[in-house]
Amino acid sequence: MKTRRITRERLVPHTMDGRTRMVPDEETIEVPLPPRDWDQIGLNVVTAIVALALLGCVGFSTASIGDLLNRVTPAAAAYGAAALFDLVWIGCTIIEWLGRYTPDRVRKARVGGYLSLAVAMGAVAAHGWIFGNAATGLVGAAVSGLAKGLWAVVLDYQAVPLGKRDAAFLQQELAEAAVELSRVPVRRRVNRARALAEAERIALEADRGSADPDRPDESADDPDADVLAIRPGAVSTKDAVRIAWDSGIRDDGEAVRYVAKATGKAPSPDTVARYMRLLRKVAG
């Protein structure tokens, strides 16, 4: 059995002058090596081959289709669009890989990948045919087909078929995770809407409270709701200001004189002016 030497640190007792302490010490030991995983090594090699095949495929197809499109469009636009021919089916194949344990969810990606592959191969073949070398076009088109085929073989090897119960279990797990994830933006929108509604409520209450002020700086002639009026039929300063406003009085001085006459006592000019400002704000 093959082994390898490793050095590790441990605490050991060490005594000096009759006192013992645990101090770090290094020791070298040999541990057995696990057997080489040839299956994983082979899979890694195949994966590297697939990566190289994709690079070669994209490079050749981009050059071929780009040269074809360059006859009618600028080079930058032509080669940029040419790269999409292979990138589309490569993207669909990546979706297949991500959903290899839930094949029903990637059926569209599988179909779209093969359709886009057929379009890319047809474009490469058309390039060879237009330039008078059909054989070169067919061989070039086969490059994309071989790359896609190799990737499909690796994908089928990795995607172990699942039983109906196992597949249903995974579908429920994904559904629950999707619900939790979808609640994040929904909760954010709900909180934002509630915050806006609360801000509007506070603003409206503040505005309503200013229309009927009950502040410490008010004059003593303003009636208090908790105190019974001495004269049950007398009007308050607020009511008198409202009556003056409805009568067409807009000057604060005239309003003060009217309130004094209506209530039988001199009101606070500041209170009358505040009520007049609020009435102007409501009317304006």
Side-chain angles (χ1 to χ4, degrees):
M1 178 182 296
K2 293 184 178 181
T3 61
R4 62 187 179 95
R5 299 170 65 87
I6 62 172
T7 301
R8 65 181 184 180
E9 189 178 82
R10 62 173 183 169
L11 295 177
V12 297
H14 184 67
T15 304
M16 291 183 64
D17 297 332
R19 300 181 63 183
T20 302
R21 295 184 180 276
M22 302 298 292
V23 297
D25 186 30
E26 291 185 351
E27 66 172 350
T28 301
I29 60 175
E30 291 187 357
V31 295
L33 288 173
R36 194 178 297 275
D37 189 353
W38 291 105
D39 292 342
Q40 186 61 40
I41 293 175
L43 183 59
N44 292 339
V45 172
V46 173
T47 304
I49 294 174
V50 171
L52 292 175
L54 288 177
L55 290 176
C57 168
V58 172
F60 183 84
S61 297
T62 301
S64 178
I65 301 175
D67 185 52
L68 177 64
L69 298 178
N70 192 25
R71 302 181 63 183
V72 293
T73 58
Y79 287 95
L84 293 177
F85 281 79
D86 276 342
L87 292 179
V88 171
W89 69 259
I90 291 175
C92 292
T93 307
I94 292 175
I95 296 297
E96 285 189 68
W97 172 269
L98 296 176
R100 60 189 180 276
Y101 298 120
T102 53
D104 294 337
R105 300 182 59 198
V106 296
R107 185 175 293 109
K108 292 182 179 179
R110 184 180 302 108
V111 174
Y114 281 108
L115 289 177
S116 56
L117 173 66
V119 173
M121 294 176 65
V124 174
H127 174 261
W129 178 74
I130 290 176
F131 283 89
N133 197 337
T136 302
L138 294 176
V139 173
V143 174
S144 297
L146 291 175
K148 172 66 175 178
L150 181 58
W151 199 337
V153 171
V154 175
L155 184 60
D156 291 339
Y157 175 79
Q158 290 282 17
V160 180
L162 299 176
K164 291 185 178 179
R165 293 185 177 182
D166 295 333
F169 180 86
L170 292 181
Q171 288 286 0
Q172 293 181 12
E173 289 284 309
L174 290 174
E176 291 179 2
V179 170
E180 294 178 3
L181 186 61
S182 64
R183 290 181 63 184
V184 174
V186 173
R187 189 183 301 113
R188 187 183 300 117
R189 292 180 60 184
V190 170
N191 292 336
R192 185 183 299 110
R194 288 176 177 173
L196 291 175
E198 181 67 14
E200 183 178 4
R201 183 188 66 80
I202 293 175
L204 291 176
E205 289 183 354
D207 187 38
R208 189 182 304 116
S210 64
D212 187 15
D214 186 13
R215 300 178 182 177
D217 60 343
E218 289 187 352
S219 176
D221 61 344
D222 287 337
D224 195 330
D226 297 331
V227 180
L228 294 177
I230 297 178
R231 294 177 298 165
V235 296
S236 65
T237 302
K238 177 182 178 182
D239 295 334
V241 173
R242 167 63 71 178
I243 295 172
W245 180 271
D246 293 339
S247 301
I249 297 175
R250 297 294 183 268
D251 182 71
D252 292 352
E254 293 182 9
V256 169
R257 289 191 292 271
Y258 181 87
V259 172
K261 182 178 179 180
T263 60
K265 54 184 177 180
S268 171
D270 293 336
T271 301
V272 174
R274 182 164 60 249
Y275 281 127
M276 292 292 288
R277 285 196 302 270
L278 293 174
L279 291 172
R280 292 191 188 97
K281 181 179 179 181
V282 174

